[in-house]
Amino acid sequence: IEAALKRKDVFVLMPTGGGKSLVYQLTGYIEDKLTVIISPLISLIKDQVRGLKSVGLNAIAILGETSEEEYFQDLLDIKDHKSLFLFITPEKLASSSHLLNFLLKLHSENLITRFVIDEAHCVSQWGHDFRPAYTQLDVIKERFDDIPVMALTATATAAVKEDIVKELKIPDCMIFQMSFNRPNLIYEVWEKEPKQRSYDQVLKF
């Protein structure tokens, strides 16, 4: 959070439930400007929007299912500073020149604080969930060069991490990595009980 507030590019590698979302939510709230979050999953976006609204922070999601009327109303709300958080998919950013031009105009008026790339492993061809539209996100550093980027993921090998930094053009980013030891998860190997179907054994458990 401190690094983000110092306007640095930031790479955060944390396990699920570690608090990655809080890093950009708290920062965006403090800075009181628009945070643009790019996320690959609509269900995840809706969940994040619900979470922000539940603590009194207005958030907007512009998705494929957003009607034209809703879309233009959302843009008005962003312009009028009624929302600090905009969620979009990478495909939406890649396919809508109108949305890109709208964001460029906001940028010219110094109204965007940062871009957040959630599930950033999708950027990498080496990642387990590669999404081609993520490779076009270098447009952020090309068109919004002075706006910081925050990359968030829970899954990245050394090769994936290197790929993300290269693809997003954030070579000088500050990298924060938590331990992936999850003390609440326990692994056990059980012997199959004789004369009992494993289904019954699992059911009994």
Side-chain angles (χ1 to χ4, degrees):
I1 290 166
E2 281 181 17
L5 289 173
K6 287 175 182 168
R7 314 294 297 147
K8 306 280 188 189
D9 291 327
V10 174
F11 186 114
V12 181
L13 186 54
M14 275 180 166
T16 303
K20 293 187 294 295
S21 301
L22 189 61
V23 179
Y24 72 77
Q25 290 170 357
L26 188 55
T27 310
Y29 174 70
I30 290 168
E31 292 173 325
D32 198 37
K33 289 181 188 176
L34 184 71
T35 299
V36 181
I37 305 103
I38 295 162
S39 180
L41 299 171
I42 289 169
S43 57
L44 187 64
I45 287 175
K46 288 180 175 176
D47 191 48
Q48 297 276 23
V49 169
R50 259 195 309 272
L52 283 163
K53 285 183 173 175
S54 73
V55 293
L57 292 172
N58 192 28
I60 285 170
I62 295 177
L63 307 167
E65 63 194 48
T66 305
S67 71
E68 194 176 333
E69 189 182 344
E70 287 170 327
Y71 172 74
F72 285 107
Q73 185 57 55
D74 287 342
L75 298 193
L76 270 176
D77 287 349
I78 291 167
K79 260 182 104 171
D80 294 342
H81 202 63
K82 289 180 183 171
S83 181
L84 293 178
F85 301 95
L86 169 63
F87 290 83
I88 52 175
T89 60
E91 288 81 7
K92 191 72 185 168
L93 185 65
S95 66
S96 176
S97 56
H98 186 274
L99 180 59
L100 179 62
N101 287 330
F102 173 76
L103 293 174
L104 285 166
K105 182 149 191 339
L106 287 184
H107 175 222
S108 70
E109 295 166 11
N110 195 26
L111 295 175
I112 298 178
T113 186
R114 80 177 20 79
F115 280 88
V116 176
I117 316 299
D118 203 7
E119 307 294 332
H121 57 273
C122 296
V123 168
S124 175
Q125 303 244 19
W126 308 106
H128 69 81
D129 197 18
F130 174 62
R131 288 273 284 268
Y134 263 78
T135 60
Q136 297 175 47
L137 294 181
D138 54 0
V139 71
I140 294 169
K141 279 300 182 184
E142 284 169 7
R143 306 292 298 274
F144 305 85
D145 61 327
D146 56 338
I147 293 190
V149 167
M150 182 183 290
L152 308 173
T153 183
T155 52
T157 60
V160 170
K161 198 160 46 169
E162 194 180 314
D163 219 16
I164 292 167
V165 169
K166 181 177 154 216
E167 289 290 333
L168 294 178
K169 294 184 164 52
I170 49 171
D172 301 319
C173 66
M174 296 187 72
I175 296 175
F176 298 92
Q177 185 165 341
M178 272 179 65
S179 164
F180 276 71
N181 178 36
R182 301 282 292 278
N184 60 320
L185 298 181
I186 297 161
Y187 297 87
E188 291 182 11
V189 179
W190 286 6
E191 190 174 351
K192 206 171 178 179
E193 289 179 15
K195 295 183 183 173
Q196 188 177 3
R197 290 191 311 144
S198 32
Y199 173 80
D200 295 328
Q201 199 174 343
V202 171
L203 193 60
K204 186 176 160 192
F205 169 76

